[in-house]
């Protein structure tokens, strides 16, 4: 073979390999994370959810709570008037004495009572199952807080400081866990999930409950999980294992 | 024509003195609302567990009583009891005044009261709150037409159909007010269909009590009171309404006691959860119901003063009951994990200690002052007072 053509072939082969190696992760990541283009509407084909494995959730660990406060610009103080989008709940089975620790946040119900009762429609559910509050139409009546079976919502009792650009907050409005929608829409995962994984607990799995191939769907199929206050049939997007 | 108790000049002075007093209280209340708006609800006793506080107690009292204040007009126009007809305008005026006062408190207690326009332009028709906004505004319109038809002789023929519409509307409205709580599936204290009829029964009693207080207060200025026969009928009616309300309250609690999952809450609200059991048994049942019933029905006690005292006690009992119902109902922890002992940084598993602050109390009082002022100005500006009626026998046809 002509040495020039051999070199050319080798060069092309190497270049293709390098190019492939550089592009592939991006293609793979995009496919994996379902990131949304800016302005693209939330898809009803997706149902975002979380599975919380209480057997892996360490009592006393607050990494998910701290990460949420950090990500969403919450002060992190715990007076009765302070916002807590996610809280650690310590449970003791009254019959057996079994102790459980678990985070509780907005359960992102399929039939959210907060959305039903909101007079102005400020509480709403996106097509992909994320329940949010529109800060522009919330009049601060707190009826959603009366209606929420999980006490997942907080009322902003005083002027806010240290707001994050992605997470608008305001005195006199009601707020709650957004499932870190600003990250999810860019293909990311909620901060509590990341923090739990970073601490090595991996107690929270986030993903698309409608995708049979997602980790969360596989887990929900394989193990017994519960929805809080299942008697109300609000069909929560957050499920618990070990309660 | 009865001789007024005081001369017209004195009456004018009394009017201005009362208007000044009411205006001063309202001004202080508006100042308190402004303070709350500036600082946020941090200056109230409310928190993320007890989200509706003392202002809601005042607001719900006024709104429920507003519906009931229409009783006398309804009896006159809808049920054709002509003896009551001279008092119909006062009855309708009080409905407007009480409703306006209640809504004022409700709006000023919002986290974003300046967004009232948003509430008026964005409706979620799955929300009973949104329906109530339409019902409240509708009652204002119907009452305005009703009052017009009662005061303008040429429109007198419309008084009956408009009165009928007002009667139907107020029943639906109070069903809506009760359903604000009745539809709350998550909470042990509420989530019951019986709350709507309970609220209607309460409205009948509270509204008539407030009407009686206003009417007898005005009689002090205007001269003689209602005829004795009419007084007797109002007295018996008030007694029946108090019993009806007590009945529905009992049914509500007994239903809860029957359900195993609600017994802990009932134990809290009726026995252990201070201050609620005291307010319930002594405030509402004792002073707000049993004592008024004795005053109204005991042959030795019955009389104009007793009826006025009973009306006052029924109104105070209303506040006790609403405090227990609204605040006690929220103070008890939500049961998210049945069968578990729960603890967290967010009041899970813990009874919340709510202590109302001065600004929210003043805002609530401001609602009463606003109602008082509207009624006062209405009585002053419109021919509301049935001066002729005071001297007439009850059976005389209305003019």
């Amino acid at each position: 073979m002509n040495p020039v053509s051999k070199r050319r072939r080798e060069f092309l082969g190497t270049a293709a390999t390098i190019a492939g190696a550089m592009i592939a992760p991006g293609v793979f990541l995009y496919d994996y994370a379902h990131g949304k283009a800016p302005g693209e509407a939330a898809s009803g084909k997706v149902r975002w959810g979380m599975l919380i494995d209480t057997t892996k959730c360490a009592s006393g660990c607050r990494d998910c709570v701290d990460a949420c406060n950090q990500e969403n610009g919450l002060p992190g103080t715990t007076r009765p008037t302070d916002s807590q989008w996610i809280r650690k709940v310590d449970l003791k089975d009254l019959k057996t004495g079994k102790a459980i620790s678990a985070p509780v946040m907005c359960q992102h119900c399929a039939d959210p009572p907060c959305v039903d009762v909101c007079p102005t429609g400020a509480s709403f559910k996106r097509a992909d199952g994320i329940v949010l509050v529109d800060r522009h139409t919330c009049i601060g009546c707190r009826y959603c807080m009366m209606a929420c079976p999980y006490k997942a919502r907080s009322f902003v009792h005083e002027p806010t400081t240290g707001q994050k650009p992605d997470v608008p907050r305001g005195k006199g409005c009601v707020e709650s866990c957004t499932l870190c929608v600003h990250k999810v829409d860019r293909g990311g995962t909620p901060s509590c999930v990341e923090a739990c994984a970073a601490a090595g607990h991996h107690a929270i799995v986030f993903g698309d409950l409608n995708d049979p191939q997602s980790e969360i769907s596989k887990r929900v199929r394989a193990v017994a999980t519960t929805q809080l206050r299942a008697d109300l049939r609000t069909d929560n997007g957050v499920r618990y294992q070990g309660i | 024509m009865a001789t007024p108790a005081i001369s017209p000049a004195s009456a004018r002075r009394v009017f201005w003195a009362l208007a000044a007093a009411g205006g001063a209280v309202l001004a202080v209340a508006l100042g308190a609302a402004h303070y709350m708006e500036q600082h946020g609800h941090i200056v109230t006793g409310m928190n993320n567990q007890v989200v509706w506080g003392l202002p809601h107690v005042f607001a719900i009292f006024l709104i429920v009583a507003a519906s009931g204040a229409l009783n006398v007009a309804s009896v006159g126009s809808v049920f054709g009891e002509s003896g009551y007809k001279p008092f119909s305008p006062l009855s309708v005026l009080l409905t407007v005044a009480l409703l306006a006062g209640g809504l004022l408190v409700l709006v000023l207690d919002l986290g974003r009261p300046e967004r009232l326009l948003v509430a008026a332009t964005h409706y979620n028709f799955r929300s009973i709150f949104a329906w109530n906004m339409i019902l409240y505004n509708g009652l204002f319109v119907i009452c305005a037409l009703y009052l017009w038809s009662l005061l303008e002789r040429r429109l007198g023929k419309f008084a009956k159909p408009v009165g009928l519409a007002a009667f139907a509307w107020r029943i639906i409205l109070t069903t809506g007010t009760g359903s604000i709580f009745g539809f709350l599936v998550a909470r042990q204290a509420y989530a019951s269909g019986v709350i709507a009829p309970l609220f209607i029964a309460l409205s009948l009693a509270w509204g008539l009590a407030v009407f009686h207080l206003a009417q007898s207060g005005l009689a002090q200025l205007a001269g003689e009171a209602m005829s004795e026969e009419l007084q007797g009928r109002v007295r018996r009616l008030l007694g029946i309404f108090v019993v009806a309300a007590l009945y529905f309250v009992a049914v509500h609690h007994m239903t809860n006691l029957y359900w195993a999952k609600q017994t802990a809450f009932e134990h809290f609200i009726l026995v252990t959860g201070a201050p609620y059991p005291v307010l319930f048994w002594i405030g509402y049942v004792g002073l707000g119901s049993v004592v008024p019933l004795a005053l109204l029905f005991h042959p030795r006690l019955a009389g104009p003063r007793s009826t006025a005292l009973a009306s006052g006690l029924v109104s105070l009992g209303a506040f006790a009951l609403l405090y227990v119902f609204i605040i006690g109902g929220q103070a008890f922890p939500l049961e998210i994990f049945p069968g578990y002992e729960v603890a967290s940084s967010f009041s899970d598993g813990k009874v919340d200690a709510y202590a109302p602050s001065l600004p929210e109390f003043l805002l609530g009082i401001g609602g009463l002052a606003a109602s008082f002022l509207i009624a006062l100005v209405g009585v002053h500006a419109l021919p509301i007072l049935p001066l002729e009626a005071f001297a007439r026998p009850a059976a005389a046809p209305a003019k």
Side-chain angles (χ1 to χ4, degrees), chain A residues 84 87 117 138 143 151 171, chain B residues 37 115 127 180 346 348:
Chain A
Q84 295 191 45
R87 61 192 191 266
V117 303
C138 174
Y143 197 17
K151 216 155 84 83
K171 183 192 75 181
Chain B
E37 209 277 327
R115 288 188 181 165
S127 168
I180 288 175
F346 205 52
D348 285 284

Side-chain angles (χ1 to χ4, degrees), chain B residues 4-391:
Chain B
I6 51 176
S7 68
S10 306
R12 264 198 301 281
R13 274 199 296 278
V14 170
F15 167 79
W16 284 111
L18 290 174
V25 175
L26 184 60
V28 170
L30 292 176
H34 178 68
Y35 178 71
M36 279 168 63
E37 209 277 327
Q38 289 292 302
H39 291 80
H41 276 59
I42 194 82
V43 298
T44 71
M46 290 174 248
N47 54 49
N48 287 319
Q49 170 76 23
V50 175
V51 301
W52 287 352
L54 198 57
H56 274 76
V57 173
F58 280 90
I60 302 282
F61 170 77
L62 288 166
I63 290 168
V64 171
S67 161
L70 209 54
N71 287 340
V72 167
S74 298
V75 174
S77 308
V78 181
F79 300 108
E81 292 286 340
S82 56
Y84 286 89
K85 278 187 183 171
F87 298 94
S88 294
L90 177 62
S91 168
V92 181
L93 173 68
L94 282 176
T95 295
V96 171
L98 292 167
L99 186 61
L103 292 181
L104 179 81
V105 177
L106 215 52
V107 166
L108 292 178
D109 182 54
L110 291 176
R112 303 297 301 257
E114 82 284 6
R115 288 188 181 165
L116 195 59
L117 203 60
V118 174
T121 50
H122 292 66
Y123 282 101
N124 166 26
F125 286 104
R126 284 181 69 88
S127 168
I128 190 73
F129 235 36
W131 281 102
N132 278 345
M133 286 184 210
I134 296 168
L135 290 168
Y136 297 149
N137 288 316
L139 191 63
F140 279 129
V141 174
I142 292 177
C143 280
L145 294 174
Y146 195 8
L147 202 54
W148 195 10
S149 71
L150 289 170
L151 297 179
E152 170 59 61
R153 209 173 287 251
R154 283 168 299 174
L155 297 175
K157 60 184 174 190
F158 296 113
K160 182 153 185 160
V162 178
L164 194 62
F167 178 71
W169 196 272
R170 57 165 279 210
I171 296 291
I172 297 168
L173 178 138
T174 309
T175 302
T177 310
S179 299
I180 288 175
F181 298 95
F183 287 180
L184 290 174
V185 293
R187 290 181 181 262
Q188 297 93 321
Y190 313 121
S192 166
V194 85
I195 293 177
L198 161 64
F199 266 54
I200 290 175
L202 293 172
S203 84
L204 294 173
W206 300 350
L208 192 58
V210 173
F211 172 86
H212 184 79
L213 286 174
Q215 188 274 324
S216 47
L218 286 168
Q220 296 288 317
L221 295 177
E224 291 174 40
M226 276 181 173
S227 71
E228 268 189 29
E229 196 223 331
L230 205 55
Q231 279 187 42
R233 286 161 72 180
V234 167
R235 193 172 67 233
R236 283 190 294 278
L237 205 53
L238 181 59
I240 291 165
F241 291 158
V242 168
V243 171
L246 208 52
Y247 165 77
F248 277 107
V249 169
V251 168
H252 182 219
H253 284 290
M254 284 171 73
T255 320
N256 272 350
L257 280 166
Y258 197 75
W259 294 344
K261 65 174 183 178
Q262 306 285 55
T263 49
F265 168 70
E266 286 298 320
H267 190 66
F268 166 79
I269 210 87
L270 298 179
V271 186
T272 57
Y276 308 108
V278 173
L279 283 171
F280 181 79
W281 291 110
I282 297 176
Y284 169 66
V285 177
L287 294 173
S289 304
V290 175
V291 175
L293 284 174
L295 288 169
L296 294 168
F297 287 128
H298 195 283
R300 286 233 208 110
L301 296 174
R305 285 188 174 202
S306 297
T307 313
L309 183 59
S311 299
L313 286 172
V314 166
S315 305
L316 286 177
F319 279 88
L321 179 69
L322 284 175
Y323 196 92
V324 172
F325 182 74
I326 297 173
I327 292 163
Q330 295 172 80
F332 189 75
L334 275 177
E335 195 172 44
I336 305 171
F337 300 93
Y340 286 92
E341 190 183 286
V342 191
S344 81
S345 58
F346 205 52
S347 299
D348 285 284
K350 204 177 82 184
V351 171
D352 191 81
Y354 165 81
S357 73
L358 184 62
E360 59 186 310
F361 174 72
L362 292 174
L363 172 59
I365 293 286
L368 298 180
S371 299
F372 176 76
L373 270 179
I374 294 168
L376 189 72
V377 172
V379 167
H380 187 70
L382 299 167
I384 296 284
L385 271 183
L387 284 173
E388 311 97 305
F390 287 129

Side-chain angles (χ1 to χ4, degrees), chain A residues 88-110:
Chain A
K88 280 298 294 289
V89 176
D90 290 310
L91 304 165
K92 195 173 106 184
D93 191 318
L94 287 170
K95 293 264 176 358
T96 63
K98 180 188 171 194
I100 296 169
S101 184
V104 175
M105 71 293 280
C106 172
Q107 303 289 299
H108 298 281
C109 313

